[in-house]
Amino acid sequence: MPIRPATEADWPHLWAIIEPIMRDGETFALPRDGDEAVARAYFASPEKVNFVAEEDGVILGASYVRANQQGGGSHIANCGYMTAPAARGRGIARALCAHSIDYCRDQGFKGIQFNFVVSTNEPAVHLWKSLGFDILTRLPKAFHHPVLGYVDGLVMYRAL
Amino acid sequence: MPIRPATEADWPHLWAIIEPIMRDGETFALPRDGDEAVARAYFASPEKVNFVAEEDGVILGASYVRANQQGGGSHIANCGYMTAPAARGRGIARALCAHSIDYCRDQGFKGIQFNFVVSTNEPAVHLWKSLGFDILTRLPKAFHHPVLGYVDGLVMYRAL
């Protein structure tokens, strides 16, 4: 799965991936009625670096990497991943996460923190665990799932 | 300790409080060489509501309140507090935090999460505990303290 830095020209493709996930409202803390600007601020704001997973010229998923905090907290990265709904189950999120682990290590980050994994997103939690992330804590009832109601969020962490 | 909503005219006073704390670099994840725009983005960006503690026309401390996440996470608040160094030890942070607990409850938030308390900021940790916040987890070596080196961050939480 080739992964390359995203360019400005990729954004419409990223938006096409993010929009159904945002409308769905089950796995990301994004407003279900949010517009393109909301998605861009979340996933592709200037302090973030984006990568895309591309196959035969089609973008199947994307990641962002940023410092999770500024100043004294800037040695810990934060990353996010989105896979096109039609391409799920093909290892794209795994490839993107493995890529960002290597990228963050190369950039000198000492760890990666996921601030808000929805606990009921079991495939994601399982995947992050398999890639070396631990659950540091559950955030009690921190996410209102459109079907399941209030469920926990998770803070996950991997040292580099 | 009277606490009131901040106005645009208050910003220079807030900056005067935040700047030495930012230069100090021991208690907030802010770049020590950051400028006023960095401070404003951190403490007073548009999605935040600010309050000030004022005595005899002098602003001694300030708070911000925001939703910690968007969408399904927007029922949990995040708050921050700064006290003018010269006014420490007078209960200003306590008053500001107690005020924001009431404010967040009135606004319908179900809890308040502090994402990144520097673990060596013991007066703050003690204070938040006394106001009903629990440590959900330590973030291992997540903060580089200018004197103490790598120390833990804390995620703290209080249900409302």
Side-chain angles (χ1 to χ4, degrees):
Chain A
M1 180 63 58
I3 293 172
R4 63 164 174 82
T7 69
E8 177 60 30
D10 294 324
W11 172 253
H13 305 283
L14 269 63
W15 167 234
I17 290 172
I18 295 171
E19 186 177 11
I21 295 170
M22 189 161 71
R23 301 281 170 255
D24 178 66
E26 298 191 357
T27 54
F28 280 84
L30 284 166
R32 298 181 72 183
D33 60 353
D35 62 12
E36 191 170 341
V38 168
R40 190 153 180 155
Y42 181 87
F43 205 82
S45 51
E47 82 282 8
K48 300 184 180 87
V49 176
N50 291 120
F51 297 93
V52 293
E54 194 175 42
E55 187 181 66
D56 300 332
V58 179
I59 293 174
L60 301 179
S63 63
Y64 77 76
V65 177
R66 63 163 182 159
N68 198 37
Q69 301 286 343
Q70 303 177 78
S74 60
H75 59 289
I76 306 296
N78 168 247
C79 306
Y81 312 94
M82 299 245 188
T83 299
R88 282 182 192 152
R90 295 181 47 198
I92 293 161
R94 173 179 292 278
L96 285 163
C97 185
H99 171 272
S100 61
I101 289 170
D102 290 341
Y103 175 81
C104 288
R105 192 186 285 114
D106 289 347
Q107 293 291 312
F109 287 109
K110 306 296 189 194
I112 301 173
Q113 181 177 324
F114 297 155
N115 300 315
F116 202 80
V117 179
V118 176
S119 60
T120 49
N121 187 2
E122 289 169 13
V125 175
H126 182 77
L127 177 56
W128 309 146
K129 283 183 177 175
S130 78
L131 286 159
F133 288 81
D134 295 318
I135 296 172
L136 290 186
T137 190
R138 302 181 78 88
L139 305 170
K141 300 181 182 174
F143 186 76
H144 190 254
H145 189 288
V147 177
L148 303 172
Y150 289 105
V151 302
D152 293 348
L154 305 176
V155 178
M156 300 189 73
Y157 178 76
R158 184 196 200 279
L160 295 178
Chain B
M1 178 64 58
I3 293 171
R4 62 164 175 83
T7 69
E8 178 59 30
D10 294 324
W11 171 252
H13 304 285
L14 269 62
W15 167 233
I17 290 172
I18 295 170
E19 187 178 11
I21 294 170
M22 189 161 72
R23 302 281 171 255
D24 178 67
E26 298 191 357
T27 53
F28 281 84
L30 284 165
R32 296 182 72 185
D33 61 352
D35 63 11
E36 190 171 340
V38 168
R40 191 154 180 152
Y42 181 88
F43 205 83
S45 50
E47 82 281 10
K48 300 184 179 89
V49 176
N50 291 119
F51 297 94
V52 294
E54 193 174 42
E55 187 181 66
D56 299 331
V58 178
I59 293 174
L60 301 179
S63 64
Y64 77 75
V65 176
R66 62 163 182 158
N68 198 36
Q69 302 286 342
Q70 303 177 79
S74 61
H75 59 289
I76 305 296
N78 168 246
C79 307
Y81 311 95
M82 299 245 188
T83 299
R88 281 182 191 151
R90 294 181 45 196
I92 294 162
R94 172 179 292 277
L96 285 163
C97 185
H99 171 272
S100 62
I101 289 170
D102 290 341
Y103 175 81
C104 288
R105 192 185 285 115
D106 288 348
Q107 293 291 310
F109 287 109
K110 305 294 188 194
I112 300 174
Q113 181 177 323
F114 297 155
N115 299 315
F116 200 80
V117 178
V118 176
S119 60
T120 49
N121 188 2
E122 289 169 12
V125 176
H126 181 77
L127 177 57
W128 309 147
K129 283 183 178 174
S130 78
L131 286 160
F133 287 81
D134 294 319
I135 296 173
L136 288 187
T137 189
R138 303 181 77 88
L139 306 170
K141 299 180 182 175
F143 186 76
H144 190 255
H145 188 288
V147 177
L148 302 172
Y150 290 104
V151 301
D152 293 348
L154 305 176
V155 178
M156 301 187 73
Y157 178 76
R158 186 198 200 280
L160 294 179

